[in-house]
Amino acid sequence: MNTYKGYYKPKNPSKYLGDPTNIVYRSSWELQCMVYFDKNDNILKWGSEEVVIPYRSPLDNRVHRYFVDFVIKVRTADNTTETHLIEVKPFRQTNPPEIRKRKTKKYLNEVTTYLVNEAKWKAATEFCKDRRWKFQIITENELGR
């Protein structure tokens, strides 16, 4: 599946939180999640980049906006509902890069990406805690890739 960006047309548009005619995926992993959320009967509602969380960037110390990949409302095994915010990322971006002797442009980009992601995820965790929601990072490992 070599699809990296496009529009998703839901089979169950009534489940979508937001405009179901304007659902953009930015990776094949996001597309895989969208199909799962759309088809799964235990996902009652879902949205893509519908929740925006302010966070302070460690790079410039300014407040930026974090558009979380997904928000889902889930029916649990005990028939209650939970709301989850889900971020889809490559596993390598969920851990700090290994320290290297040579500070190449690639290495510096990995470090800044990780630091910004870490700030976003901290803000998302607090945002969810305040609302009794759950924040989850999904990687290719959870997607079975």
Side-chain angles (χ1 to χ4, degrees), residues 1-39:
M1 195 156 143
N2 283 338
T3 309
Y4 298 106
K5 188 174 180 183
Y7 289 90
Y8 178 70
K9 185 174 180 185
K11 304 279 187 253
N12 299 294
S14 62
K15 286 176 63 171
Y16 189 74
L17 300 165
D19 181 358
T21 65
N22 191 29
I23 306 172
V24 177
Y25 59 87
R26 300 178 200 296
S27 71
S28 60
W29 298 346
E30 286 185 10
L31 176 59
Q32 184 178 348
C33 287
M34 290 175 179
V35 171
Y36 177 81
F37 299 152
D38 192 23
K39 290 182 176 180

Side-chain angles (χ1 to χ4, degrees), residues 82-94:
E82 293 179 350
T83 301
H84 298 229
L85 294 184
I86 296 176
E87 183 67 19
V88 179
K89 279 285 183 252
F91 180 76
R92 73 181 187 291
Q93 289 182 10
T94 63

Side-chain angles (χ1 to χ4, degrees), residues 51 53 68 70-71 84-87 127-128 133-136:
V51 175
I53 301 172
V68 183
F70 298 106
V71 57
H84 298 229
L85 294 184
I86 296 176
E87 183 67 19
F127 182 90
C128 287
W133 293 2
K134 295 182 179 180
F135 177 64
Q136 185 177 1

